[in-house]
Amino acid sequence: MSLVLAELLEDLTAGRLRIVDLTQPLSPQTPLLPLPSQWNNSPAFRMWELSRYDERGPAWYWNAFETGEHTGTHFDAPVHWVSGKDLPDNTVDRIPPKKFVGPACVIDISAEAAKNPNHLLTLDGVRGWEEQHGHIPAGAWVLLRTDWSKRRDPKDYINLKENGPHTPGLAKETSAFLAQQRDVLGVGVETVGTDAGQAATFDPPFPNHYLMHGSGRFGLASLSNLDQLPPTGAIVIAAPLKIVGGSGSPLRVIAITP
C-alpha cells in the first residue's frame, strides 16, 4: 500500500478525516421534478419484495425496484441534454471513473435563498468567493449550498406555484464561466435539478443543463448536508451506476473532509 493511501486510512480511523453522506434517501416519497403534461415524467421510485427467508427464497432477502435515471440524488451525464448528445464518452458507462472524484468548492447562498427562493448565484458571487478562498481549481465539483434539502415536506421542496417551481440556482453567465473558464467536473445542488426552478423561462431554457452538458460537464442534484463541508478542503466522490447508454443515475455521493 502506498504511503498516501496508508495515511488516508490512518486519518479516517483516527477521526482526523470524516466521511459525510451528501445523499438524500431514495423511496416512494422522493420528490420528482414536475414536467408539463405533454412530456414524459420520471416514474416515482417503486420497490417490491422478491423473497424474505420464505418459500420464495428460504435463506435470502432481496427486492426489485424501478425508477428514473434522474430520481432523488442523481448524476447528470452530458448526453442528458441535447447540447451534449454528440460528445464523446457522454454516457455514464463511458465516463472515465477518475472524473467522479474531485475537490469540493462549496459556495454558500443559503441566507439569500432563505429570503428569495428564486435567488441565483451570479458571476460576481463566484468572483467574490474566489477572492476569499482562491481560484476554483480544474477538476473541482462546485457545490451550491442553499440548505434547500432541509425542506422535508415535498411540497415545500418543489415549491410549485401556478407558474412553475420556485427554487434557487445559477445564473446563465455563472454556468458559462464555470464550464468554459474554470474546467470544473460539474456543479452540484440541493434542489431537485441543477437549474433554478424558473429556468424554463430563461434564454436558453435550462441554461445550466445546456451549458454544462454541452461542455462535457456533469451535474449532481438533490444533494444534502452541504452545511457540513468547508468552503474548500473536502474531496467528493460521486460515482453513478454503470448503465450502458445511460443519461444519468441515482448514486450515493460522499465527501471526505477534515
Side-chain angles (χ1 to χ4, degrees), residues 189-243:
V189 301
E190 294 184 73
T191 49
V192 72
T194 61
D195 265 291
Q198 288 289 291
T201 66
F202 296 175
D203 182 21
F206 306 102
N208 187 71
H209 280 78
Y210 189 88
L211 293 162
M212 281 288 159
H213 301 325
S215 301
R217 319 298 175 181
F218 316 131
L220 301 174
S222 296
L223 298 175
S224 65
N225 295 326
L226 295 186
D227 58 343
Q228 297 186 33
L229 301 185
T232 63
I235 298 292
V236 166
I237 303 171
L241 298 174
K242 200 170 183 177
I243 302 169

Side-chain angles (χ1 to χ4, degrees), residues 31-36 39 41 116-120 148 151 154-169 191-202 206:
L32 301 174
L33 179 67
L35 294 178
W39 297 323
N41 275 260
N116 174 18
N118 295 313
H119 181 77
L120 302 178
W148 209 256
R151 295 184 171 219
K155 290 183 179 179
D156 290 338
Y157 183 72
I158 298 298
N159 203 27
L160 184 65
K161 310 297 182 183
E162 289 184 359
N163 61 345
H166 290 262
T167 57
T191 49
V192 72
T194 61
D195 265 291
Q198 288 289 291
T201 66
F202 296 175
F206 306 102

